[in-house]
Amino acid sequence: MTILTYFPVALSAIWGLSAGASGLVMLIMTAPVLFLPSLGVRLIARNHRISPTTLVYVALAGMFAGNAFLLIVSPSLPLAWLVLPLVLLGVSMGLPLGFVDGEAMGAVPAHLSGTASGVFNLLRLGGETVAVGGYAAVLGALVAARVDDPDLAHRVASGEPGNAGIYACVFGHVQLAILAISAVGTIAVALLHRTRVGADRASQDPGTLASTTTR
């Protein structure tokens, strides 16, 4: 969501693109979101070896790869090189979109589905809001630390062409922060999933059940 919101600003600041041209470039990332949700659902329905968790990890891999590629953004980088990372980010967003809500609701008892839906949407939408606002705050602060003139710093952070090197450097630092935060979140999800799978297997193991009953 942060790239979707602020990468058009980077396109203006680093490559001097107009608003219309930036919008066309962003279509590379947003177009996959139109058809990939249905593809993800079909893959799960038609191939039992592909689980929702598998597709979530595929999406996470695409997100990491796309964001990592954007670390090399610079004024000398041809725009054509942005196609791959933007496609990867679009895939990472669109692929799990068709089933992630259902999987989340299926993880709780039916009588708690309403509460779970509220919590899920609060965390998702609230997380996106915090991420977008935090991205802008951090980027603006890093630009201000490199530009002595507050007015010029504001113009650079807002995407004004003419200071591509400064914006590209700051953009790379913010990308590192995104990757670090995403890594922590992914590790947490993987550990929670592993714990859940272990608990489910233990509950289905007759020996474990018998042992627990004896105790």
Side-chain angles (χ1 to χ4, degrees), residues 1-2 5-6 125-141 174:
M1 290 303 298
T2 55
T5 304
Y6 289 108
L125 298 177
E128 291 173 357
T129 302
V130 171
V132 169
Y135 184 101
V138 171
L139 188 141
V174 179

Side-chain angles (χ1 to χ4, degrees), residues 2-185:
T2 55
I3 297 300
L4 179 64
T5 304
Y6 289 108
F7 198 64
V9 180
L11 292 171
S12 172
I14 300 174
W15 289 279
L17 296 188
S18 65
S22 298
L24 289 175
V25 173
M26 293 306 296
L27 284 175
I28 300 172
M29 187 176 80
T30 56
V33 182
L34 295 176
F35 62 88
L36 280 178
S38 60
L39 176 61
V41 172
R42 290 179 182 178
L43 286 174
I44 295 172
R46 296 181 180 182
N47 193 330
H48 297 295
R49 291 179 295 180
I50 299 178
S51 67
T53 304
T54 301
L55 291 187
V56 167
Y57 283 129
V58 169
L60 286 171
M63 181 193 68
F64 276 109
N67 278 294
F69 196 98
L70 291 180
L71 289 172
I72 67 172
V73 160
S74 71
S76 60
L77 183 73
L79 281 173
W81 285 74
L82 296 176
V83 172
L84 178 60
L86 291 179
V87 168
L88 288 172
L89 290 171
V91 169
S92 71
M93 183 175 180
L95 192 60
L97 206 57
F99 61 83
V100 66
D101 286 24
E103 289 297 314
M105 295 304 99
V108 298
H111 68 280
L112 293 176
S113 59
T115 302
S117 178
V119 172
F120 178 73
N121 285 296
L122 171 64
L123 292 176
R124 179 170 61 180
L125 298 177
E128 291 173 357
T129 302
V130 171
V132 169
Y135 184 101
V138 171
L139 188 141
L142 291 177
V143 170
R146 287 166 171 75
V147 180
D148 294 331
D149 183 354
D151 183 61
L152 177 59
H154 176 74
R155 296 200 306 270
V156 172
S158 64
E160 181 181 84
N163 296 277
I166 296 174
Y167 195 97
C169 179
V170 170
F171 181 83
H173 290 157
V174 179
Q175 284 300 111
L176 283 174
I178 289 176
L179 287 168
I181 294 171
S182 300
V184 172

